[in-house]
Amino acid sequence: MEIFIEIVGILVEMFTFSAEEKSAPRKIRLIGFVIIFILMGILFYLAYVVRNDTFTMSFFVILGAIMAITLLRSVSDIVRLIRNEEI
């Protein structure tokens, strides 16, 4: 479990940094946001699967909520990237 937590932490940090960096190319930023969205969905699904274990479920929900907040803060950037507008 500890190894899984470390791997998820590294992935979140790496993709969040690449997605929110304004000087990164458009495709890399979009891929970063997509991967953050996919990881968020996987964490919420894992929370549903282990719903009998309260501690693990709350851990997955908290990690998913952190990713959701990251995506909500970046909604305007995501819309601009999808429309291919300059930021």
Side-chain angles (χ1 to χ4, degrees), residues 6-75:
E6 290 295 323
I7 290 172
V8 169
I10 290 170
L11 288 174
V12 169
E13 183 178 336
M14 180 176 62
F15 291 120
T16 303
F17 179 75
S18 68
E20 291 186 353
E21 186 177 336
K22 303 289 185 192
S23 62
R26 177 180 176 261
K27 289 181 183 179
I28 292 176
R29 292 185 69 203
L30 278 175
I31 290 171
F33 284 125
V34 166
I35 291 175
I36 291 171
F37 183 76
I38 290 170
L39 283 174
M40 179 190 69
I42 289 172
L43 287 172
F44 284 137
Y45 176 73
L46 287 174
Y48 173 74
V49 169
V50 297
R51 64 187 177 268
N52 293 329
D53 183 13
T54 308
F55 177 75
T56 308
M57 181 189 72
S58 61
F59 175 73
F60 287 144
V61 167
I62 290 170
L63 280 179
I66 290 170
M67 290 184 193
I69 291 170
T70 302
L71 288 174
L72 282 175
R73 284 187 7 202
S74 304
V75 168

